[in-house]
Amino acid sequence: MLPRTPDLIFVNVTTLEAQPYCLELTLKGWRITSLRSDCMVGDFTRLELFTKYYDSLYLLMDDISPGYRERFSEKLVQRLKLIEAGEEDQVAPCASLQSPSLSTDSSSKESQYSSTESLPIVTPVSTPAIDPDFKPKFK
């Protein structure tokens, strides 16, 4: 629904806490544009939230979603235990991620974000080097 160019893309995400976000990805990095999907206009009373750029989606998600942080930590611990036990080749990457239900039942002893589903395995890619002699051409 939002514009897309070779230098700009918008991505809608919803956190484990059920908060929707519209994110922008440019050469500067990832940025929150709105607390609603398909929206480029942020809340001007929270300007600091919408002007901060992140080097990676992981850093952005870690900042906005405690559930993401907890779930990522759980999966990291599970993976490290498998590696320590010499079973790392038995873990297959997952093609999709199903979020657990967001139960508000406080009697549950297990974390509301825990799940047996695997987080997707993504290889980080470094930001391409910028040519200091590059001169943009504007028409």
Side-chain angles (χ1 to χ4, degrees):
M1 191 169 159
L2 295 176
R4 184 170 124 186
T5 71
D7 299 323
L8 170 73
I9 189 168
F10 291 94
V11 178
N12 292 320
V13 298
T14 301
T15 65
L16 290 169
E17 296 81 16
Q19 170 63 55
Y21 288 92
C22 183
L23 308 178
E24 169 192 272
L25 176 59
T26 66
L27 291 175
K28 286 184 175 183
W30 291 91
R31 180 178 75 88
I32 299 168
T33 60
S34 178
L35 299 178
R36 297 187 322 236
S37 296
D38 293 322
C39 181
M40 295 187 319
V41 181
D43 178 357
F44 293 109
T45 63
R46 298 180 61 193
L47 200 55
E48 74 286 346
L49 180 66
F50 304 106
T51 56
K52 182 176 181 181
Y53 281 89
Y54 296 85
D55 290 333
S56 74
L57 182 58
Y58 301 115
L59 291 172
L60 187 149
M61 291 301 295
D62 189 65
D63 228 17
I64 65 173
S65 175
Y68 168 84
R69 190 177 319 114
E70 185 177 331
R71 183 105 174 259
F72 184 87
S73 296
E74 285 175 3
K75 296 303 171 186
L76 181 60
V77 167
Q78 287 176 1
R79 181 68 184 214
L80 290 173
K81 285 180 180 177
L82 286 172
I83 290 171
E84 185 177 57
E87 301 172 8
E88 69 271 9
D89 58 338
Q90 295 180 13
V91 178
C94 178
S96 66
L97 171 66
Q98 288 185 336
S99 298
S101 63
L102 295 173
S103 169
T104 57
D105 180 14
S106 59
S107 64
S108 173
K109 293 185 181 185
E110 190 175 334
S111 164
Q112 75 181 40
Y113 304 114
S114 67
S115 169
T116 57
E117 296 296 320
S118 173
L119 289 173
I121 297 175
V122 178
T123 305
V125 178
S126 63
T127 306
I130 298 173
D131 181 359
D133 298 324
F134 175 74
K135 304 275 191 274
K137 296 178 184 177
F138 297 101
K139 293 183 179 184

